[in-house]
Amino acid sequence: MAETTYDAASAAAYRAAREIPREALEAWRQAVAEEAAPGPGTTLLDVGAGTGGFATAFHDWFGVRVLAVEPAPAMRALIPASDGVVPLDGRADALPVPDASAELAWLGSVVHHLPDLEAAARELRRVLRPGAPVLIRNTFAGRGRRDLRVRFFPETAAMVDGYPSVERVTEAFATAGFRRTALRELPQQSAPTLAAWADTLRREADSKLRALTDDAWTSGLAAVRAAAAEHPTEPAVSWMDLLVLR
């Protein structure tokens, strides 16, 4: 993965601001169950695990053993390690696991950080067992219209358009023998209301928000507050894609 610059404070801010509450991820739990059917005995490789929000959810939901690969030491230190969740130092193009050792790979908000998608695809092909799926949760170029950040901080739309597209990712993974089997758009609730979401926003915890000018950040935050005042019960819901390759 691309070079990371998280220290202990920014990693903690990331966990506080970016991890989605477990109860708001039901659509993702159902989709993963339908697309991959994980269960006890499954080894799931979480590539770019961050602070372990999804890694712990997968273990709790499905009873799988999760190998949580994260290159940033400060982020990796916050992953709750256990017999079922094992934090590992590694990168998408240099995974610290043996050949054919996992039944499922998960890449959550990761592909836009990868400098070489083809190399990552080859490495995933090496570590996955034949027929094992790769599940990619991401915002893709041209598909960010339902992201809350794009809605309230419109300058971020240009950043999203610089991300790999679904077609680009599919083509890159095809070089390692993967093919696309599903593309689903799924909701996730970051907070019960827009006002609560505004309270959790941390500019330093989000690469999109960090890239904004001060004026754009201030204007966007004011827009969130105004929308919250007008619609006080509206939940803070974003939509992201789940791309499945086998």
Side-chain angles (χ1 to χ4, degrees):
M1 272 160 269
E3 190 68 25
T4 54
T5 57
Y6 289 99
D7 58 16
S10 58
Y14 177 97
R15 182 168 65 177
R18 299 292 304 283
E19 285 194 5
I20 307 298
R22 183 76 58 84
E23 61 273 15
L25 292 173
E26 178 59 22
W28 291 88
R29 185 195 66 77
Q30 291 183 20
V32 172
E34 292 165 5
E35 297 294 344
T42 298
T43 296
L44 184 153
L45 187 66
D46 185 351
V47 181
T51 55
F54 269 99
T56 55
F58 290 139
H59 175 63
D60 293 345
W61 286 337
F62 305 119
V64 299
R65 181 171 183 259
V66 181
L67 304 179
V69 179
E70 170 55 48
M75 300 281 272
R76 194 169 61 249
L78 295 179
I79 297 173
S82 68
D83 289 343
V85 178
V86 182
L88 297 172
D89 180 9
R91 301 163 60 94
D93 57 1
L95 296 168
V97 298
D99 294 358
S101 59
E103 288 85 14
L104 169 62
W106 171 263
L107 285 76
S109 296
V110 168
V111 294
H112 55 284
H113 293 300
L114 303 183
D116 189 334
L117 287 172
E118 286 79 6
R122 290 193 299 272
E123 185 69 343
L124 284 164
R125 175 58 74 194
R126 177 185 70 79
V127 304
L128 288 173
R129 294 181 182 170
V134 177
L135 274 58
I136 299 176
R137 169 184 173 266
N138 223 83
T139 303
F140 296 98
R143 295 178 61 88
R145 65 195 181 282
R146 300 176 79 182
D147 186 302
L148 280 172
R149 290 163 297 180
V150 171
R151 174 182 170 186
F152 291 108
F153 302 90
E155 295 83 359
T156 63
M159 302 176 209
V160 172
D161 285 341
Y163 288 3
S165 65
V166 170
E167 293 73 23
R168 169 74 183 102
V169 175
T170 300
E171 291 169 0
F173 274 74
T175 65
F178 292 98
R179 64 181 183 87
R180 183 175 114 184
T181 59
L183 177 65
R184 303 169 65 163
E185 193 177 21
L186 299 170
Q188 55 196 31
Q189 184 173 307
S190 299
T193 64
L194 291 174
W197 181 61
D199 290 341
T200 67
L201 284 174
R202 299 290 182 273
R203 192 175 179 185
E204 70 276 15
D206 190 309
S207 59
K208 293 187 188 69
L209 300 183
R210 283 199 306 271
L212 296 174
T213 65
D214 290 344
D215 286 346
W217 162 251
T218 301
S219 176
L221 196 56
V224 179
R225 297 289 188 194
E230 186 175 357
H231 305 286
T233 62
E234 180 182 345
V237 177
S238 279
W239 292 70
M240 292 182 70
D241 287 318
L242 177 65
L243 173 63
V244 183
L245 304 139
R246 292 181 182 272

